Amino acid sequence: MSFRPPAGTIPESPGVYRFKDAGGRVIYVGKAKNLRQRLNSYFADFAGLHPRTQTMLTTAAGVDWTVVSTEVEALQLEYSWIKEFDPRFNVKYRDDKSYPYLAVTMGEEFPRVQVLRGARRRDTRYFGPYSHAWAIRETVDLLLRVFPVRTCSTGVFRRAAQMGRPCLLGYIDKCSAPCVGRVTAEEHRRLAEDFCDFMAGDTARFIKQLEREMHEAAAAEEFERAARLRDDVQALRRALEKQAVVLGENTDCDVIALAEDQLEAAVQVFYVRGGRIRGQRGWVIDKVEETTPGELVEHFLLQMYGDAAPEAVPREVLVAVEPPDVRAVAELLAEHRGGRVELRVPRRGDKKALMETVERNAKEALAQHKMRRASDLTTRSKALQEIADALGLDQAPLRIECYDVSHTMGEDVVASMVVFEDGLARKSEYRRFSIRGMSGEGDVAAIHEVILRRFRRYLEERTATGELDAPPSGEPIDPETGKPRKFAYPPNLVVVDGGPAQAAAAQRALDELGVDDVAVCGLAKRLEEVWLPDDDHPVIMPRFSEGLYLLQRVRDEAHRFAITYHRAKRARNVKGSVLDNVPGLGPARRKALLRHFGSVKRLREADPAEIRQVPGIGPALAEAIATALKGEGEGT
């Protein structure tokens, strides 16, 4: 990278860094305990990075940083910058649907109970979120017997006041009718406050109070009033039955779990107040870089509680995985809440059981999200048609093959081929290639070779079956094995991971073989541009279009499949090397060395001071590694 800071100029202090594009816009914000170590990781092994991290780096034109004194300051600055600059490559949690809340507008003269969605309003108490609006209405209908708070709109309230006659709810005693003066504003506000206290978990006080009044009314032979109070108690208990008891009645906590795959992650939160599940909410994200579950949890906590009211932060937050800076995050939440916040992973008992339930919900939410987006026939059809329209194809590409090349500094070159049919991955058709004799020739030559090999096999299979001149009908079957032939079914579209050079190389390979009925395009990581062979300008598809999302999924799957094969091959080549004989250097540290330097060749060129930068490698071990590698070089 041309903008890589010179060696030694990056401080080893904790801090926050910003990547910027050529226009000076901030495209990514991150924090680090050690800025030098973190930033060097972006430039050490480009091929081993997550594809979207590669996209970020190729889009970036510069990087700067700010040194801070503590990890809490780093968290605060990172959150402030993300909120200020809204970087396109930072993780953004979005609701997987718009959840309804039970809201009480305490800022009005006569507070109103209603269902609200979307952005929060000032001076309004929120409860939930709920899965469905009807669940809120059922709860409210039960509670209005005891807390007859206004639920009507401003227009209805004003008309009733002008006419001097309340609405139906006022006649059936489910509204205290402040519109016609049955209660004063102060009395109505007390009702609204009691309603909020009950919803916030202070339930036993009201039930005991009503039961005491019921017994007093019965003792005074006021049987009608006693019967009404009995019905009120039953209504409150039915409202409580709708909220499952999961923990001790004094427990207030949020339970957070996540599920993830290569491209996306889903987060689920259960809100427990007074030991009961008061609400549930879910988010989904597109992963931007290769982050750990702990880092995802940390980002989520900052975004979830960053703009929340202090009372929305509970005393206890249970997470499935601890964030990397658990103490700093807990301290930041406590500062926002104005009181101690315990952030921990439950290990046993009821809280552990509840966490497992939340984790199951997260996995189901991710599966449902992917099913809605990828398996929905309408969505898939729309994506395929968008691709056809953008590339000028005669028909939707029902079979797409994508190719990617993976290597480390030109060594251990491999390639992958993944297949999507009708917009869905067909893993039984995946293939992988080992590229020999092309060390240092680059991705373009490797793409050319792979396309030649794949379609040469296709022509050979067609010639063997006598179907070369006939259009394929279904999958060609090998008569000897009864299984589909590996390369006999052609794609409608070949996608290569790369820009115009890679697309041109793929097209050149097809032209050399005389294959003229397969379309070709390249998907460049920089700005996600789609390139057609021999075109001077890219095809720009809308960033959030289903067609581009499908191409990204295909490309990322090809990258994952290629890099998995490359890592396995590189590990086999490293196995049995001179590093095995270095005392104190186990498999974990060998992997850390290769991850940091990218190849044994670069490690051999490093001096002990550079080797010591790898976590877990001390001065003595660094000297031993350098000596062993130097001896190997002299021996050869």
Side-chain angles (χ1 to χ4, degrees):
M1 296 293 173
S2 61
F3 62 87
R4 179 176 183 174
T9 61
I10 307 175
E12 296 183 333
S13 309
V16 183
Y17 56 91
R18 299 181 293 188
F19 282 95
K20 299 180 180 180
D21 64 13
R25 290 171 298 184
V26 177
I27 60 173
Y28 184 74
V29 172
K31 67 170 180 60
K33 294 181 180 178
N34 184 318
L35 282 168
R36 179 181 297 178
Q37 184 177 320
R38 182 69 183 99
L39 288 174
N40 282 341
S41 70
Y42 285 103
F43 306 107
D45 181 14
F46 183 82
L49 296 174
H50 189 281
R52 296 183 187 177
T53 306
Q54 293 178 343
T55 305
M56 185 271 289
L57 287 175
T58 54
T59 305
V63 60
D64 61 24
W65 55 84
T66 296
V67 174
V68 297
S69 56
T70 67
E71 294 172 16
V72 175
E73 287 183 23
L75 281 170
Q76 290 174 322
L77 183 57
E78 180 191 31
Y79 173 71
S80 299
W81 277 359
I82 289 174
K83 188 175 179 181
E84 178 181 354
F85 298 114
D86 190 25
R88 58 176 288 204
F89 287 104
N90 275 93
V91 169
K92 293 182 179 65
Y93 289 85
R94 60 184 188 276
D95 283 317
D96 54 5
K97 57 181 174 179
S98 179
Y99 284 85
Y101 284 82
L102 171 57
V104 185
T105 58
M106 299 302 292
E108 298 185 35
E109 181 184 5
F110 297 99
R112 175 190 175 194
V113 175
Q114 60 182 317
V115 177
L116 286 180
R117 300 176 187 262
R120 295 198 168 202
R121 305 175 184 178
R122 293 183 59 187
D123 300 322
T124 298
R125 293 284 303 276
Y126 287 86
F127 303 95
Y130 290 77
S131 300
H132 304 284
W134 55 260
I136 301 179
R137 295 189 180 97
E138 282 188 357
T139 300
V140 170
D141 187 63
L142 290 168
L143 296 183
L144 289 180
R145 287 185 55 92
V146 184
F147 312 107
V149 185
R150 167 197 163 208
T151 58
C152 61
S153 66
T154 302
V156 171
F157 186 86
R158 287 175 179 171
R159 283 196 299 273
Q162 291 171 355
M163 296 174 61
R165 189 174 63 194
C167 64
L168 177 62
L169 292 178
Y171 283 109
I172 62 175
D173 296 328
K174 286 194 173 181
C175 177
S176 55
C179 54
V180 294
R182 285 188 187 172
V183 294
T184 65
E186 292 74 18
E187 291 170 335
H188 185 266
R189 179 167 293 276
R190 281 197 296 272
L191 282 174
E193 289 171 350
D194 288 345
F195 181 96
C196 291
D197 289 346
F198 184 88
M199 290 301 303
D202 187 10
T203 57
R205 173 168 67 93
F206 293 102
I207 291 177
K208 289 178 180 178
Q209 177 183 330
L210 290 175
E211 287 180 335
R212 183 174 62 252
E213 293 177 5
M214 178 184 68
H215 292 307
E216 290 173 355
E221 298 185 354
E222 297 177 1
F223 299 117
E224 289 186 5
R225 181 168 178 268
R228 176 170 178 82
L229 290 169
R230 176 203 61 200
D231 294 341
D232 289 348
V233 171
Q234 291 175 351
L236 293 185
R237 285 184 170 153
R238 284 201 303 275
L240 288 176
E241 288 170 1
K242 295 180 179 294
Q243 301 165 345
V245 178
V246 289
L247 301 172
E249 64 177 19
N250 294 323
T251 303
D252 292 345
C253 66
D254 289 348
V255 189
I256 302 169
L258 60 87
E260 59 176 329
D261 62 13
Q262 293 288 330
L263 295 174
E264 297 173 305
V267 179
Q268 284 282 309
V269 180
F270 278 23
Y271 302 92
V272 179
R273 300 294 183 269
R276 297 176 180 270
I277 299 176
R278 301 287 180 173
Q280 173 187 354
R281 191 177 181 185
W283 289 260
V284 291
I285 62 164
D286 292 325
K287 285 181 160 182
V288 178
E289 64 173 342
E290 193 169 2
T291 55
T292 65
E295 289 169 337
L296 287 174
V297 168
E298 181 179 286
H299 294 149
F300 175 75
L301 291 172
L302 293 178
Q303 292 190 36
M304 177 178 174
Y305 296 118
D307 290 326
E311 62 268 17
V313 183
R315 293 190 297 268
E316 185 176 21
V317 178
L318 304 179
V319 292
V321 183
E322 281 189 348
D325 302 321
V326 60
R327 291 184 180 177
V329 175
E331 187 176 334
L332 194 62
L333 294 180
E335 182 180 316
H336 185 65
R337 179 176 181 266
R340 183 170 177 269
V341 174
E342 185 177 2
L343 179 62
R344 66 186 184 88
V345 178
R347 303 295 182 186
R348 63 183 66 85
D350 292 340
K351 292 180 179 178
K352 172 66 173 174
L354 179 58
M355 177 61 73
E356 291 171 353
T357 299
V358 182
E359 287 177 335
R360 285 196 299 271
N361 277 266
K363 291 176 182 177
E364 179 64 22
L366 181 61
Q368 290 294 328
H369 168 74
K370 297 185 76 66
M371 186 180 300
R372 285 194 300 269
R373 187 164 187 179
S375 298
D376 178 71
L377 180 59
T378 303
T379 302
R380 291 190 347 247
S381 299
K382 179 182 179 183
L384 293 171
Q385 191 58 51
E386 285 178 354
I387 294 172
D389 293 341
L391 304 184
L393 307 181
D394 294 333
Q395 59 181 0
L398 299 182
R399 179 180 169 108
I400 300 174
E401 291 180 3
C402 185
Y403 299 82
D404 187 24
V405 175
S406 182
H407 58 85
T408 302
M409 304 297 291
E411 301 292 332
D412 300 324
V413 185
V414 301
S416 66
M417 165 186 142
V418 302
V419 179
F420 274 58
E421 291 188 351
D422 277 343
L424 298 175
R426 187 164 185 184
K427 295 192 176 183
S428 63
E429 296 284 301
Y430 286 13
R431 300 290 179 263
R432 58 189 189 182
F433 304 82
S434 183
I435 312 298
R436 299 181 181 87
M438 300 189 67
S439 177
E441 294 190 29
D443 293 359
V444 174
I447 285 289
H448 181 265
E449 179 188 324
V450 170
I451 300 297
L452 273 178
R453 286 167 59 180
R454 185 265 183 267
F455 282 92
R456 189 180 289 128
R457 287 287 304 274
Y458 159 63
L459 295 177
E460 290 171 357
E461 295 280 5
R462 285 293 173 187
T463 301
T465 58
E467 298 175 337
L468 184 58
D469 298 322
S473 56
E475 266 189 5
I477 302 298
D478 189 326
E480 296 182 4
T481 64
K483 297 180 179 179
R485 293 181 181 271
K486 289 185 178 180
F487 291 100
Y489 197 56
N492 304 107
L493 174 65
V494 164
V495 180
V496 293
D497 183 8
Q502 286 81 359
Q507 186 63 60
R508 189 169 65 253
L510 293 176
D511 293 342
E512 291 171 9
L513 296 172
V515 177
D516 58 4
D517 57 349
V518 176
V520 175
C521 76
L523 181 60
K525 294 183 179 71
R526 180 178 175 84
L527 302 180
E528 303 292 37
E529 298 165 334
V530 181
W531 288 90
L532 296 176
D534 302 323
D535 273 12
D536 295 331
H537 301 285
V539 176
I540 305 297
M541 299 182 68
R543 180 166 175 78
F544 297 104
S545 68
E546 294 296 337
L548 181 59
Y549 175 76
L550 176 57
L551 288 178
Q552 288 171 331
R553 284 181 56 226
V554 173
R555 188 270 315 279
D556 290 351
E557 179 69 354
H559 181 84
R560 180 198 65 79
F561 195 51
I563 204 168
T564 301
Y565 180 36
H566 169 68
R567 285 171 176 166
K569 185 176 181 180
R570 187 173 64 179
R572 286 198 301 269
N573 291 343
V574 172
K575 190 175 182 180
S577 72
V578 68
L579 295 178
D580 293 344
N581 300 321
V582 177
L585 186 64
R589 287 174 175 170
R590 284 202 299 273
K591 288 182 181 178
L593 284 167
L594 289 172
R595 190 162 50 243
H596 183 82
F597 288 100
S599 67
V600 176
K601 180 182 177 182
R602 292 185 63 187
L603 175 58
R604 190 180 293 116
E605 296 169 352
D607 58 33
E610 292 174 316
I611 296 174
R612 283 202 304 271
Q613 294 181 6
V614 179
I617 305 295
L621 184 55
E623 290 286 352
I625 293 168
T627 301
L629 290 172
K630 183 179 179 182
E632 181 194 41
E634 292 174 350
T636 57

